[in-house]
């Protein structure tokens, strides 16, 4: 088949791309390129699950022109599942649309098969109850000729008299409802007061529970925690891909998108606002009885796995959300608020502001209660944003004697080192390699992803397990494994095991002296590669390998991280850290032993390396449930010393040395007995 | 001609109505009914000045169905002056549209001939400079790697360091402009700070002058003062009819409109917001060079008479308006803010709130600077609203020893009595009679309106002058007078002179014993009437008369006012007031001697009866230029004792007695020598 019969397809948000033969369906193309699109009917055009969006226009980043016309003729069956306005937007069924030319295809969250296991579950951290919103019950007298005082002043007098609240303002939108609400409750009402300063709600009679949403805007994933502000219970955790992924996978490419496109900031901001709105809807719908959900298929599918069917239905709607907190890295923070992110991307990276903000949700275009505020947490410096402030107020290193190193690895790496005496932060460009992206067989943490691996030091035989199957390969038949690729946590396992078993050297290069059928040269580019899973064990029909370039990518990431830690320790004047905390989804999956073998961070007692989950989200939740955490955030954001790593003396030297596995010259006493002396002390 | 050949026409906002012969033009109908519609070409369809709007629908208040179809066929000439969308809205040329059925015709401000002389000019009252908005100049260092602090924090540090400002917030919309403004000025900027609390503007480099608008929302007229907040100078005074007039002439009929129509509040609120927006535009356009104005005919016509051609052009636009204050009576206040005005119209008349409000202009839909606040002054009680609070902070009776009686006569009458010891307020239903409405020949203060009159006690011959002509009738030929009707201030003259000359008795009845050709019986209803101007002296071709019913209307109004004053004095425990201040347009035209003769208010030394002009507007201006006046307003609104007159013992009795001219039993020592003993002491 000639070259002219092939065409390029790029899938977003995964970024998977490649050439496929013209004429196949988008669904088939997705399988060839390792993208998981949901299909219940197996491509028979009857389930309607494989909706995708064909983007129109020239995509500079990829150098392709994508257009609806390139996706073949509209099929009758599609009309059953796709409304005319969605069709207008470019929606198609993957099983109907044909690849007839270059395509950029967006796979919406609900069409993604084997949805990513997003570890954004709320942890059980201790938070003191002191929300920004508090409810107060009042009873007032009806106006008479003798006392014809206004509705508002009756309530203000009572709030002062019974609860000692003074000088309260009232939001205009609440004021407009005041007369009817007060009369509906027979002059008895519950008043929602924000920060002891402003009345943001009046409800007839007695109201007990009220709700808020803590939002963590990540570069890749947006997560939200619906909380009962009285019981502090997390009612639901919902999450979705950050729709901005279509403009670029990392913060720098989004900043570039803004610089290159006049409406770039507007579009990206609108997208993330819409995403937050969708999470609001989704969280609220999760509190409705299933019959209602049945009416809206989409919400049923998006239903969070943490949803508890035994919970009595609260039937909340967006208007019931009375408060919101938001964390996110500096770029996400700026784009959300429609603040020019350009300077954040240019040395010396000054943000538009540091301090936290209280903004009316309506001014951001977020549809929760009309009078509600959104509290956006402060940011530290440059790339160390409000998400890191969230981590800090959740972990509170500034209250401890012990020296903590907190590593938050997302698409970017953020580091904090310190204790109650001093805190230093910095950020390093780990890139997405540690999450499994950019590697030949890297993939998200979804079913079929290799997540654990061991390599026998003598035979160099590989054993592994995949997400979605409990049995390891050695206890399975080859065709039961259905491996698809390697996910973030698997990557570290692979490298640690390759190193421990002597397949790769301290330098990261394959051991040329090793004789093993798994270590081979790629027949196309003649580069060495190591086979993790043979084609028969996979669902993609090809050997899953790790290449020298893959290893180099991870070394670059881990080198940046390690060098950052090292330079921070030098600035702090310490030789050793007491505790290492790993935040982010990465932390929940990573094997601390393997991380230490790899030399992701300086040596530390194994038991004191802990995963703290989505600590940024926990921080958002803490600030939602306890207003003093907002003051703490303000304080901490102003009192963390920011270290710009690239300006540090010896940065390049440290970086290069740190690329070694685990590190050229450093001591790793806690690896003794875990890695053989021969390997550990190789020259 | 049969009855079936006549049809009803109502003109708004004047409320003039009557039956006309079918087939005449709307312009002709307007002349017959005494409505002034502009026409330069005399109805020859070439000037396009006589635009009117034909309303569609059933108008309950008048019991008529008006429709565009009733205005005859569209004429080709109309297309030159009326755009297709305006045509869709019902706009026609008065000279082209024919009356073919019942019509409700709205005459837009710009089509009104002999525009009302609205006395809303700003007085020269002493105001201390202390605006809510203040500008601060700052210079900050450019960010470096050593000091990569955020843009905002650089400015905050400088504001703190140079000006001692701390804990400042910043409005999101200003924050969004911050990075570009700061860089545009080379890290030098002027920062607008509201109430020492919030940054609401950042401008490159040095900016000296800044501007605000004080708005007085009257039931009939909306006036605005564009002020330089640095020099405190009033740059322009602009005014227009309150467009809500189409829903009813007084506050009660507008409240009813809300109660009867689900979208009534929304419509009336939108209308007044649009009116304020129009005044903003108009005030700004007044600062542009005439060439620009030429492009917009409308603004040229609306150009305020106070505009000074020698002023250098400021070329302001709405974005330059950084602050706004608003006063208005309770109903106007509530409707503007879209607060349910229903309860304000029902005993015991509780408003929704008393306190002043700071609202983002954008939340009200007012297009001035995106970050700007609008300060709405507080209201006292029931019908004594923010306009009266405006009067009080302009006049400051609470700082004086002397006992002041302040009378604000608009469509409603508001009274305040007191000194630094105590203040009492009340409101009375004077109705619009004192402004010349509801009388057979009543009209607005426009050219041709009789405004001064004398009647010879012996011959009962009448001399008068009209607005727009300096010479009195006795010095003019009859056909030079062109009288059209009697305006508010003329009304009092007429009554006072009729009484002083013995044409009417203390009771208000015509003196049946009098023989005089001017005193006659109406040939249709056989009721007595007195001829003020003979047909030959008028431009309407009919005798201008005052009827017994007219006199009764004015007696009712003046009785309500006098009884109110009297009961307030009783509550205060005083026999005499030291000063009478008359606020409102009425006050600037009224002859204090005539007012005293009429017994509009209790006796007072003639020199101490003063007109204070549009004191409500002055109060709005004071609050714009001096923020402490806002605190004063808050204090005074809470410390005025409200007297509900209708609940007072003897109210009816007092009211009836007060209808006498000047008052049945009261002493009027200051009338001795002005009114003959015989008249004054008649039984």
């Amino acid at each position: 088949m000639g070259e002219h019969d092939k065409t390029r397809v790029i899938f977003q948000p995964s970024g998977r791309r490649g050439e496929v033969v013209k004429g196949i369906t988008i669904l088939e193309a997705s399988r060839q390129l390792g993208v998981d699109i949901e299909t219940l009917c197996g491509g028979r055009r009857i389930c309607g699950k494989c909706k995708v969006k064909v983007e129109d226009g020239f995509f500079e980043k990829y150098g392709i022109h994508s257009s609806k016309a390139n996706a073949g003729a509209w099929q009758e069956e599609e009309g059953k599942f796709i409304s005319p306005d969605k069709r207008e937007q470019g929606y198609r069924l993957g099983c109907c649309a044909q690849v007839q030319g270059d395509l950029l295809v967006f796979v919406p969250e609900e069409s993604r098969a084997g949805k990513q296991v997003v570890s954004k579950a709320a942890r059980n951290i201790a938070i003191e109850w002191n929300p920004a919103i508090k409810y107060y019950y009042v009873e007032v007298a009806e106006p008479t000729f003798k006392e014809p005082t206004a509705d508002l002043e009756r309530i203000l007098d009572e709030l002062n008299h019974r609860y000692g609240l003074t000088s309260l303002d009232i939001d205009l939108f609440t004021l407009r409802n005041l007369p009817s609400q007060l009369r509906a409750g027979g002059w008895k009402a519950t008043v929602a007061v924000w920060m002891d300063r402003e009345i943001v709600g009046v409800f007839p009679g007695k109201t007990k529970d009220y709700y808020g949403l803590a939002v963590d805007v990540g570069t890749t994933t947006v997560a939200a925690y619906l909380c009962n502000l009285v019981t502090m219970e997390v009612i639901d955790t919902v999450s979705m891909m950050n729709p901005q992924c279509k403009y670029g996978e990392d913060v720098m490419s989004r900043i570039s998108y803004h610089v290159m496109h006049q409406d770039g900031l507007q579009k990206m901001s609108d997208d993330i606002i819409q995403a937050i709105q969708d999470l609001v809807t989704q969280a609220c719908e999760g509190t409705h009885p299933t019959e209602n959900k049945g009416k809206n298929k989409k919400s049923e599918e998006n239903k969070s796995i943490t949803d508890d069917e035994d919970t009595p239905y609260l039937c909340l709607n967006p208007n019931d959300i009375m408060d919101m907190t938001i964390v996110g890295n500096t770029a996400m923070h700026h784009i959300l608020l429609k603040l020019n992110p350009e300077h954040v991307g240019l040395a010396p990276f000054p943000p538009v502001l540091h301090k936290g903000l209280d903004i009316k949700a309506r001014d951001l275009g977020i549809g929760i209660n009309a009078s509600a505020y959104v509290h956006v947490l402060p940011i530290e410096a440059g790339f160390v944003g409000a998400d890191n402030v969230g981590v800090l107020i959740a972990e509170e290193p500034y209250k401890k004697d012990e020296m903590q190193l907190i590593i938050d690895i997302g698409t970017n790496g953020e580091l904090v080192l310190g204790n109650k005496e001093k805190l230093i932060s910095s950020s390093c460009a780990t890139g997405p390699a540690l999450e499994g992206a950019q590697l030949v067989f890297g993939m998200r943490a979804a079913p079929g992803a290799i997540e654990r691996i061991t390599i026998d030091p003598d035979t160099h035989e590989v054993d592994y397990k995949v997400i979605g199957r409990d049995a390891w390969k050695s206890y399975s038949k080859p065709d039961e494994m259905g491996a698809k690729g390697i996910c973030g946590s698997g990557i570290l396992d692979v490298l640690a095991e390759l190193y421990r078993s002597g397949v790769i050297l301290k330098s990261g290069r394959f051991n040329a002296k090793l004789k093993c059928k798994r270590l081979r040269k790629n027949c196309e580019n003649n580069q060495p590669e190591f086979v993790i899973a043979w084609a028969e064990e996979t669902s993609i029909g090809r050997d899953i390998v790790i290449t020298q370039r893959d290893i180099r990518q991870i070394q670059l990431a881990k080198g940046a991280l390690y060098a950052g830690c090292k330079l921070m320790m030098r600035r702090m004047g310490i030789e050793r850290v007491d505790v290492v905390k790993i935040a982010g989804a990465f932390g929940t999956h990573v094997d601390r032993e393997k991380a230490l073998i790899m030399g992701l961070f300086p040596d530390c007692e194994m038991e004191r390396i802990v995963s703290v989950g989505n600590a940024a989200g926990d921080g958002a939740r803490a600030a939602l449930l306890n207003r003093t955490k907002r003051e703490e955030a303000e304080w901490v954001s102003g009192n963390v010393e920011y270290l710009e790593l690239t300006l540090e003396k010896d940065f390049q030297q440290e970086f290069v040395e740190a690329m070694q596995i685990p590190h050229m010259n450093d001591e790793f006493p806690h690896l003794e007995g875990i890695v053989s002396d021969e390997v550990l002390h190789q020259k």
Side-chain angles (χ1 to χ4, degrees), chain A:
Chain A
M1 200 173 278
E3 189 64 21
H4 65 279
D5 290 312
K6 287 198 155 189
T7 190
R8 285 171 298 171
V9 181
I10 298 157
F11 285 96
Q12 291 290 33
S14 67
R16 286 283 182 137
R17 66 202 77 157
E19 294 205 324
V20 300
V21 175
K22 282 185 185 173
I24 65 173
T25 63
I26 287 180
L27 190 60
E28 284 162 334
S30 75
R31 286 172 183 156
Q32 288 184 17
L33 297 174
V35 174
D36 299 304
I37 296 181
E38 184 85 81
T39 167
L40 296 182
C41 68
R44 289 177 296 125
R45 306 183 171 195
I46 50 182
C47 76
K49 294 290 173 195
C50 60
K51 285 183 207 78
V52 295
K53 185 168 173 241
V54 174
E55 304 287 352
D56 250 332
F58 179 65
F59 292 83
E60 264 179 64
K61 182 175 172 186
Y62 310 108
I64 72 160
H65 273 287
S66 169
S67 84
K68 292 179 210 161
N70 289 353
W74 177 261
Q75 306 290 310
E76 200 189 321
E77 294 92 333
E78 296 179 272
K80 286 187 214 157
F81 305 104
I82 295 169
S83 65
D85 62 314
K86 286 280 179 193
R87 178 181 172 181
E88 187 58 37
Q89 290 166 36
Y91 279 87
R92 300 294 303 266
L93 289 188
C95 60
C96 293
Q98 276 191 353
V99 181
Q100 296 185 340
D102 286 353
L103 285 177
L104 192 135
V105 178
F106 181 75
V107 185
E109 178 75 6
E110 66 269 27
S111 301
R112 286 178 209 141
K115 287 181 197 68
Q116 182 167 18
V117 182
V118 185
S119 257
K120 298 281 182 179
R123 275 186 315 142
N124 202 0
I125 58 168
I127 304 171
E128 213 172 300
W129 184 83
N130 189 15
I133 295 283
K134 284 178 185 154
Y135 274 32
Y136 298 93
Y137 175 71
V138 294
E139 298 184 4
V140 299
E142 204 166 335
T144 60
F145 267 117
K146 217 177 150 73
E147 284 293 342
T149 319
D151 296 352
L152 176 63
E153 274 70 14
R154 273 165 205 281
I155 286 196
L156 290 178
D157 287 351
E158 192 65 6
L159 286 171
N160 184 0
H161 179 246
R162 276 178 72 159
Y163 303 104
L165 294 166
T166 54
S167 310
L168 293 178
D169 286 326
I170 183 165
D171 184 77
L172 179 61
F173 293 79
T174 293
L175 186 61
R176 286 176 178 162
N177 290 327
L178 175 63
S180 58
Q181 299 288 66
L182 205 49
R183 282 161 183 84
W187 305 93
K188 296 175 176 65
T190 302
V191 183
V193 179
W194 177 80
M195 297 295 268
D196 295 342
R197 288 218 294 264
E198 183 180 324
I199 296 176
V200 293
V202 177
F203 310 99
K206 274 192 183 161
T207 301
K208 202 178 126 271
D209 290 319
Y210 47 99
Y211 306 90
L213 200 73
V215 179
D216 171 20
V217 179
T219 310
T220 311
T221 307
V222 192
Y225 307 92
L226 176 62
C227 300
N228 180 318
L229 297 184
V230 177
T231 64
M232 308 220 283
E233 172 200 9
V234 177
I235 296 167
D236 204 354
T237 301
V238 290
S239 69
M240 66 185 291
M241 282 287 184
N242 186 332
Q244 294 170 351
C245 285
K246 61 176 170 285
Y247 307 111
E249 284 149 31
D250 52 43
V251 296
M252 282 312 293
S253 56
R254 300 208 195 141
I255 292 173
S256 302
Y257 187 82
H258 153 64
V259 174
M260 306 295 289
H261 299 81
Q262 221 191 339
D263 61 347
L265 182 57
Q266 178 79 43
K267 277 163 74 177
M268 290 190 287
S269 179
D270 289 352
D271 272 359
I272 187 63
I273 294 294
Q274 183 58 50
I276 292 174
Q277 192 65 53
D278 289 347
L279 290 178
V280 165
T281 308
Q282 199 178 323
C284 288
E285 281 178 355
T287 66
H288 292 201
T290 319
E291 305 88 84
N292 283 354
K293 280 187 243 171
K295 289 180 199 159
N296 186 341
K297 276 280 181 186
K298 186 164 170 294
S299 88
E300 176 83 322
E301 284 158 30
N302 281 344
K303 212 163 134 267
S304 161
I305 49 164
T306 64
D307 194 6
D308 180 1
E309 289 297 337
D310 296 333
T311 321
Y313 298 113
L314 297 169
C315 293
L316 300 183
N317 69 57
N319 199 39
D320 293 320
I321 312 255
M322 296 299 296
D323 198 11
M324 185 182 277
T325 53
I326 298 182
V327 297
N329 64 50
T330 308
M332 293 306 102
H333 168 284
H334 278 43
I335 294 172
L336 171 80
L337 298 178
K338 226 176 284 172
L339 302 177
N340 185 348
E342 188 179 343
H343 308 291
V344 170
L346 286 171
F349 318 111
V352 176
L353 86 166
H354 294 293
K355 72 198 298 267
L357 287 172
D358 292 306
I359 304 171
K360 287 285 176 185
R362 61 178 183 254
D363 283 337
L364 286 175
I366 296 176
I368 54 175
N369 188 284
S371 296
Y373 278 95
V374 170
H375 180 78
V376 183
L377 271 80
I379 60 185
E380 292 166 36
F383 286 107
V384 187
D387 49 353
N388 198 253
V389 171
V391 170
L392 289 177
I393 63 168
E395 295 307 318
E396 305 178 333
Y398 44 80
K399 290 184 180 172
K400 308 283 163 57
D401 287 317
E402 60 190 20
M403 189 57 72
Q404 298 193 3
L405 173 65
I406 304 177
I407 302 174
D408 190 358
I409 303 176
T411 311
N412 229 31
E414 277 132 31
L415 306 171
V416 177
L417 176 68
N419 60 10
K420 69 181 182 189
E421 304 292 335
K422 186 176 182 177
L423 285 176
I424 301 177
S425 72
S426 71
S427 70
C428 54
T430 51
L434 292 175
E435 293 188 307
Q438 297 182 336
L439 308 185
V440 177
F441 286 92
M443 68 174 283
R444 288 175 300 126
I450 295 171
E451 59 166 353
R452 286 282 174 271
I453 196 173
T454 59
I455 301 176
D456 187 302
D458 301 321
T459 65
H460 302 106
E461 202 36 49
V462 176
D463 197 5
Y464 62 88
K465 84 170 283 295
V466 297
I467 293 178
R469 179 173 173 82
D470 289 336
W472 283 62
K473 194 208 81 177
S474 51
Y475 293 94
S476 312
K477 292 179 195 151
D479 61 358
E480 288 174 342
M481 294 310 290
K484 280 182 176 172
I486 307 166
C487 71
S489 55
I491 290 295
L492 270 200
D493 259 46
V494 170
L495 247 74
E497 288 296 306
L498 287 172
Y499 167 68
R500 183 154 67 172
S501 63
V503 177
I504 56 170
L505 304 173
K506 222 175 162 57
S507 66
R509 297 188 67 85
F510 282 113
N511 184 352
K513 296 175 200 153
L514 188 72
K515 293 282 172 273
C516 161
K517 65 172 178 176
R518 286 181 182 264
L519 184 60
R520 67 186 188 193
K521 293 227 162 151
N522 183 287
C523 53
E524 283 183 19
N525 60 20
N526 210 32
Q527 290 296 304
E529 61 186 26
F530 185 85
V531 180
I532 305 292
W534 300 105
E536 66 197 54
E537 301 157 15
T538 73
S539 64
I540 58 174
R542 282 179 295 160
D543 294 345
I544 293 173
V545 304
I546 187 132
T547 68
Q548 187 67 67
R549 194 182 158 280
D550 287 348
I551 294 168
R552 196 57 69 192
Q553 291 289 328
I554 296 164
Q555 279 182 285
L556 285 168
K558 89 105 191 164
L561 193 57
Y562 190 95
C565 297
K566 203 60 197 306
L567 292 167
M568 288 171 77
M569 286 166 70
R570 188 173 77 187
R571 169 71 65 102
M572 188 67 87
I574 56 168
E575 294 284 319
R576 206 149 221 85
V577 299
D578 299 319
V579 179
V580 174
K581 289 181 168 174
I582 310 175
F586 179 79
T588 55
H589 290 294
V590 79
D591 180 321
R592 56 196 177 184
E593 187 182 292
K594 304 291 169 64
L596 204 54
I597 293 176
M598 278 294 297
L600 216 53
F601 38 78
D603 190 63
C604 178
E605 200 179 327
M606 200 70 77
E607 284 64 42
R608 309 216 65 190
I609 302 172
V610 292
S611 161
V612 294
N614 182 16
D618 288 335
R621 200 158 48 89
L624 181 69
L625 297 169
N626 182 352
R627 73 174 76 159
T628 60
K629 292 305 258 185
R630 302 181 185 188
E631 291 162 34
E632 220 170 280
E634 214 64 53
W635 175 86
V636 79
S637 75
N639 285 278
V640 177
E641 185 183 319
Y642 180 68
L643 189 65
E644 176 55 46
L645 294 176
T646 56
L647 291 185
E648 286 296 285
K649 189 167 140 290
D650 310 329
F651 171 71
Q652 280 303 329
Q653 179 67 20
E654 285 289 344
F655 181 40
V656 170
E657 289 181 8
M659 280 178 63
Q660 303 272 344
I661 303 166
H663 183 283
M664 210 172 196
N665 307 315
D666 288 357
E667 298 288 315
F668 283 83
H670 293 102
L671 283 184
E672 309 283 348
I674 292 169
V675 178
S676 71
D677 281 3
E678 189 191 347
V679 169
L680 195 57
H681 301 294
Q682 65 182 252
K683 288 294 155 199

